[in-house]
Amino acid sequence: MPADGAERDIEEAGTEEESTIGQVSDRISDVSSSDQETSNSNIVNPYATLLQTLSANVQRGQPERKRRKIDYAKDAEVVSTIEATEEAEVKADRQDANEDIDDQLTEEFDEDEDLPPAEADLMDVLQDNDPFDSHFANPDAVTLNQHIEFIKDTKWTTRKLSSDRDWKQVLTEPIDSSGVRSSVSIPAGLQDLHVKHKLEAPAARLLPNLNGLYRVLASSIFNYQDLIFSERTSSNEKGIREMLCLHTLNHVFKTRDRIIKNNARLSREPDGQDVELRDQGFTRSKVLILLPTRQSCVRYIQTLTELCEPEQQENRKRFNDSYVQIEEQFSDDKPDDFRELFAGNDDDMFRLGVKFTRKTIKYFSQFYNSDMIFASPLGLRRAMDASSGKKEDMDFLSSIEIVILDQTDAIFMQNWEHAEHIFQHLNLQPKEAHGCDFSRVRNWYLDGNAKYRRQSILISAYNCPEFNNLYSRSMLNTAGKLKISKAHQDGAMLHLNIQVRQTFSRIDVMNLNSDPDIRFKYFSTTILPILAKAAKGASSHGHGVLIFIPSYMDFVRVRNHLANSTEAQNISFGSISEYTPVREVARARSHFYSGRHSVLLYTSRAHHFRRYRLRGIKQVVFYALPDNPIFYKEIAGDYLAQSVADGGLDPMQASVRIIFSRWDYLKLERIVGSSRVAAMLKEKGSDTFDFT
């Protein structure tokens, strides 16, 4: 992300920003075969075509058709860089289309995929109690149907798993009619995760010590439970990513080996023998990984290649040209979480299909021929929706068995509606066959119950009501779902770089829908008159008030009120939001620092995407608390500490004012600590709480 661009950070549906990025994405799509996934519907069944060709060759005594060789030099010439000229892009698009037609004749019947298991050494002996076997391959039909009915009737049972005071683990499962609770086993090491033999050695190198938190996560992940983990940090993100990559590869390889083994079995059966082998979904894609930026995708691809150790990587140079960006683009004052998110290529408009064979990884495979799909919510949404010359297509999501949202807090800051839309369209019945052999499709796919077998994993730096809503409505796994969060013993307010008075003011809101109106009324009748009086007086104490407003809708409402209300006519103010042009941001910062503006409005997304080092702040008003506790420490602590260090503020005059309601429980807990939050929300004698 450029250091001084604001309007490109948030992809809001229907805004000019999304339209602009959409134009750029259309150009990118010219060199991405993953964007051509809908073309399959117009091509004859490649498997049947190949069988006819092979049969004709054998009858005529001709040699069997050879696989097309990969020409890396030619591929690099076609798609060298995104900045190629329009003429070169058109040429690349045409050549990719021709190559894709050839791929249709080979990639469904690759030589290294269809060797007999004994010869290819692909099929590990199934171990006892393998979660893959019990959850996907051979589930107990009676228990499965019973659990699905309980979930449809919202009959869940919830229990706490951990007695550790630092962590909270809550497991939710469908009610068991027998009254027997499922046991929760914590793996002692990698040997207990039922990992395929070919993945054991690289997994041991990447995850040599499976202990502590990682053992708890591994227990849920490898047992195919849904998971919300809301304590992702820059220190544990690498280990979590390696575990997720190991799990998804393990799942893809076991699925492929099961199909190949059954193919070999069918080839040995006499003609007319009625053998029912159900080992597939409607389409090939089994794993969907949603990420905020292309650089996040690069990290996942690097981990996958370290784990599966392919002999060949098709289109790797093309991937590097489109996704990898090495140069540093930040100043030294940016925090670690900001650098981790926005380092490298921070483009949030992408989608990538990845296909695995025994020896090869192929990037930019069409979605219907991919094992894994990597995408940003915006990129996948644009692939799903209808556009000029392209009809709506979501069938490639019909057989997703594992969906992962990593860095979900960053995705939340982009446009959460895109992620919700994707979850609403997972595991729907496909509108077209796409060459599916329905005799091999698992029964729970045919019954429309795939969403009850899908594993959903959400990794975030914090939890919020929107994530909990997804947890309740879209995470319906019969294996259960686990929520892991940290107990906030102290809270962020005790870890500021300055000792400052912090005043929390509670507003009584009984209905969530009325929260914005009651909050605005409290601000305009209680806080605004204080600011107007201070601005009118001769004292400079009224200058330097930063008003932090997380919601853009609230920001617009407050800004318009300050501009038009007679009560605020003495208040000179500036404003910085995620949509403010760079020149206006510089002007607002300068006028606020010089004292020309006494008040500055500042949004949560502007801080998320820019992390401006604002100066001249003497008082902070939180119109609402931020979801990210790091923002509170930076704004309430670092900004005021900088003003004191600059000599423009007496520490005794610094103050922080916070407005909160009962609906801010999760935010408030992270700020004041778990031990204080309940009393602050339920206290009847007072609605104001002071801390220093």
Side-chain angles (χ1 to χ4, degrees):
M1 180 188 67
D4 292 313
E7 56 271 58
R8 189 171 169 271
D9 300 314
I10 306 296
E11 302 300 337
E12 294 288 347
T15 63
E16 294 181 1
E17 286 72 20
E18 185 168 357
S19 176
T20 301
I21 294 184
Q23 296 174 6
V24 177
S25 69
D26 290 338
R27 178 166 298 181
I28 295 176
S29 66
D30 287 339
V31 294
S32 175
S33 61
S34 291
D35 301 342
Q36 302 168 356
E37 62 271 8
T38 58
S39 64
N40 281 11
S41 60
N42 298 324
I43 301 177
V44 297
N45 188 333
Y47 182 74
T49 302
L50 181 61
L51 289 180
Q52 294 175 3
T53 303
L54 292 174
S55 177
N57 288 340
V58 171
Q59 292 176 1
R60 293 192 300 266
Q62 298 176 359
E64 295 185 359
R65 182 188 180 99
K66 295 184 178 180
R67 298 181 64 209
R68 181 175 54 86
K69 301 298 183 180
I70 301 169
D71 188 348
Y72 280 102
K74 185 177 181 180
D75 182 74
E77 179 182 355
V78 174
V79 285
S80 58
T81 61
I82 296 178
E83 291 78 12
T85 63
E86 293 291 337
E87 182 179 356
E89 291 177 354
V90 172
K91 178 181 178 181
D93 186 45
R94 290 174 178 172
Q95 184 162 337
D96 281 344
N98 293 333
E99 291 180 353
D100 286 338
I101 293 175
D102 291 338
D103 287 342
Q104 298 292 321
L105 299 176
T106 57
E107 62 187 355
E108 293 288 344
F109 196 72
D110 285 338
E111 290 175 358
D112 62 354
E113 285 192 353
D114 288 84
L115 292 173
E119 180 178 350
D121 192 24
L122 287 173
M123 190 62 180
D124 294 350
V125 177
L126 281 176
Q127 305 176 22
D128 293 337
N129 302 319
D130 186 349
F132 174 83
D133 192 42
S134 59
H135 191 77
F136 287 105
N138 297 302
D140 181 81
V142 176
T143 303
L144 174 60
N145 292 331
Q146 184 183 69
H147 285 174
I148 290 176
E149 290 303 317
F150 284 149
I151 294 174
K152 289 180 179 179
D153 295 336
T154 63
K155 294 180 179 180
W156 299 90
T157 179
T158 301
R159 54 177 164 146
K160 295 182 179 180
L161 297 183
S162 175
S163 59
D164 190 339
R165 66 186 299 267
D166 294 329
W167 293 94
K168 295 186 293 185
Q169 301 178 41
V170 179
L171 176 63
T172 302
E173 300 172 293
I175 294 176
D176 193 318
S177 59
S178 64
V180 179
R181 289 183 172 182
S182 61
S183 60
V184 179
S185 60
I186 303 299
L190 289 173
Q191 68 276 7
D192 297 330
L193 299 182
H194 302 279
V195 175
K196 282 186 62 62
H197 177 71
K198 68 175 296 185
L199 295 174
E200 289 178 353
R205 290 195 298 270
L206 291 182
L207 295 166
N209 298 315
L210 192 64
N211 51 34
L213 173 64
Y214 296 110
R215 292 178 58 200
V216 176
L217 292 175
S219 174
S220 176
I221 292 172
F222 284 85
N223 281 292
Y224 289 98
Q225 291 178 333
D226 288 349
L227 173 67
I228 284 187
F229 177 71
S230 56
E231 298 298 332
R232 183 188 186 278
T233 64
S234 55
S235 60
N236 64 24
E237 59 88 16
K238 183 174 183 293
I240 294 174
R241 182 176 64 252
E242 291 169 345
M243 186 178 300
L244 293 174
C245 287
L246 176 62
H247 175 55
T248 53
L249 271 180
N250 194 48
H251 180 76
V252 167
F253 288 170
K254 286 184 177 181
T255 299
R256 183 193 64 189
D257 290 353
R258 169 77 57 155
I259 294 173
I260 295 175
K261 179 183 179 182
N262 288 340
N263 288 345
R265 178 181 173 184
L266 288 174
S267 67
R268 295 192 299 267
E269 294 291 340
D271 293 340
Q273 184 75 23
D274 187 12
V275 178
E276 184 178 68
L277 299 174
R278 298 195 175 273
D279 52 12
Q280 302 176 21
F282 296 113
T283 57
R284 176 165 180 158
S285 300
K286 291 294 178 284
V287 178
L288 171 64
I289 301 180
L290 298 176
L291 301 167
T293 66
R294 290 187 179 229
Q295 183 60 32
S296 301
C297 181
V298 170
R299 297 190 185 105
Y300 266 84
I301 292 298
Q302 290 174 341
T303 304
L304 288 173
T305 55
E306 291 175 4
L307 283 170
C308 67
E309 300 176 331
E311 296 181 9
Q312 193 174 21
Q313 298 185 55
E314 188 173 345
N315 294 334
R316 182 59 193 241
K317 184 180 186 304
R318 177 177 175 182
F319 173 79
N320 291 340
D321 291 341
S322 301
Y323 282 75
V324 178
Q325 180 176 313
I326 302 176
E327 62 269 16
E328 181 63 46
Q329 54 184 343
F330 305 122
S331 57
D332 295 335
D333 59 355
K334 300 300 183 185
D336 292 340
D337 64 304
F338 181 89
R339 291 176 175 275
E340 190 232 327
L341 176 59
F342 294 110
N345 191 336
D346 67 344
D347 183 11
D348 59 0
M349 169 61 200
F350 69 93
R351 48 189 178 265
L352 174 72
V354 179
K355 174 187 173 182
F356 295 89
T357 64
R358 186 165 60 93
K359 299 179 180 179
T360 304
I361 297 179
K362 179 179 179 179
Y363 308 106
F364 299 100
S365 58
Q366 293 188 1
F367 282 174
Y368 288 100
N369 296 321
S370 300
D371 296 297
M372 295 186 186
I373 297 175
F374 294 85
S376 64
L378 174 64
L380 192 61
R381 176 73 181 270
R382 293 179 67 88
M384 295 164 59
D385 292 348
S387 60
S388 56
K390 171 183 172 294
K391 64 180 180 179
E392 183 181 67
D393 184 14
M394 293 167 286
D395 288 352
F396 56 84
L397 299 176
S398 63
S399 301
I400 295 296
E401 295 176 347
I402 300 175
V403 57
I404 297 173
L405 283 82
D406 199 358
Q407 296 176 275
T408 313
D409 50 302
I411 293 175
F412 181 64
M413 282 291 179
Q414 293 173 346
N415 190 336
W416 184 243
E417 191 273 334
H418 292 327
E420 292 178 324
H421 180 81
I422 291 169
F423 266 84
Q424 292 169 2
H425 292 84
L426 288 174
N427 301 120
L428 301 180
Q429 298 291 82
K431 297 179 180 179
E432 300 180 17
H434 302 286
C436 174
D437 182 359
F438 289 94
S439 65
R440 301 280 294 272
V441 176
R442 294 184 172 115
N443 289 325
W444 39 270
Y445 273 112
L446 298 174
D447 295 337
N449 292 325
K451 64 180 180 180
Y452 300 110
R453 307 301 282 168
R454 183 189 71 234
Q455 181 184 34
S456 303
I457 300 174
L458 190 154
I459 309 296
S460 175
Y462 53 80
N463 197 6
C464 67
E466 289 79 3
F467 301 167
N468 284 334
N469 182 60
L470 191 71
Y471 182 81
S472 301
R473 294 176 177 271
S474 300
M475 300 171 76
L476 306 173
N477 195 339
T478 56
K481 47 189 176 181
L482 180 65
K483 186 183 297 184
I484 302 178
S485 60
K486 196 171 185 179
H488 302 275
Q489 301 299 333
D490 298 328
M493 71 175 186
L494 299 183
H495 299 281
L496 305 183
N497 291 336
I498 183 176
Q499 186 173 357
V500 60
R501 180 181 178 182
Q502 303 171 63
T503 302
F504 291 78
S505 299
R506 186 185 67 206
I507 55 177
D508 293 328
V509 182
M510 302 306 296
N511 190 326
L512 177 60
N513 294 330
S514 61
D515 187 286
D517 294 332
I518 296 177
R519 192 179 298 269
F520 176 76
K521 181 179 179 180
Y522 180 86
F523 173 82
S524 59
T525 58
T526 303
I527 295 181
L528 187 59
I530 299 175
L531 299 180
K533 182 179 179 180
K536 187 176 180 180
S539 174
S540 62
H541 184 63
H543 295 294
V545 179
L546 177 69
I547 302 178
F548 181 85
I549 309 177
S551 168
Y552 182 75
M553 298 301 294
D554 289 335
F555 168 83
V556 172
R557 189 176 190 177
V558 173
R559 183 190 62 189
N560 293 345
H561 185 72
L562 292 179
N564 301 321
S565 174
T566 57
E567 300 174 357
Q569 60 184 357
N570 295 323
I571 299 178
S572 60
F573 73 95
S575 61
I576 299 177
S577 75
E578 56 269 33
Y579 302 116
T580 306
V582 176
R583 295 183 62 181
E584 293 185 17
V585 169
R587 185 183 300 110
R589 295 175 66 183
S590 176
H591 288 177
F592 181 71
Y593 180 61
S594 66
R596 184 173 177 179
H597 288 165
S598 60
V599 173
L600 179 64
L601 307 182
Y602 190 43
T603 67
S604 181
R605 283 180 171 176
H607 190 70
H608 169 77
F609 285 98
R610 297 303 179 192
R611 296 294 178 89
Y612 293 118
R613 305 299 296 180
L614 302 178
R615 303 178 66 182
I617 298 173
K618 301 175 182 178
Q619 298 177 5
V620 177
V621 175
F622 284 93
Y623 188 87
L625 286 169
D627 286 296
N628 194 338
I630 295 177
F631 291 3
Y632 185 87
K633 291 191 289 186
E634 292 176 345
I635 293 170
D638 297 350
Y639 285 0
L640 291 176
Q642 183 63 50
S643 297
V644 172
D646 292 341
L649 175 64
D650 184 343
M652 299 301 295
Q653 294 181 337
S655 66
V656 180
R657 183 75 175 267
I658 302 99
I659 305 174
F660 73 96
S661 73
R662 61 185 296 185
W663 305 104
D664 296 327
Y665 179 91
L666 294 175
K667 302 176 184 178
L668 188 64
E669 182 184 21
R670 292 189 284 266
I671 303 302
V672 303
S674 303
S675 60
R676 303 180 184 89
V677 63
M680 293 177 65
L681 292 174
K682 297 179 180 179
E683 179 66 42
K684 295 182 179 180
S686 174
D687 58 4
T688 301
F689 308 87
D690 289 324
F691 301 94
T692 55

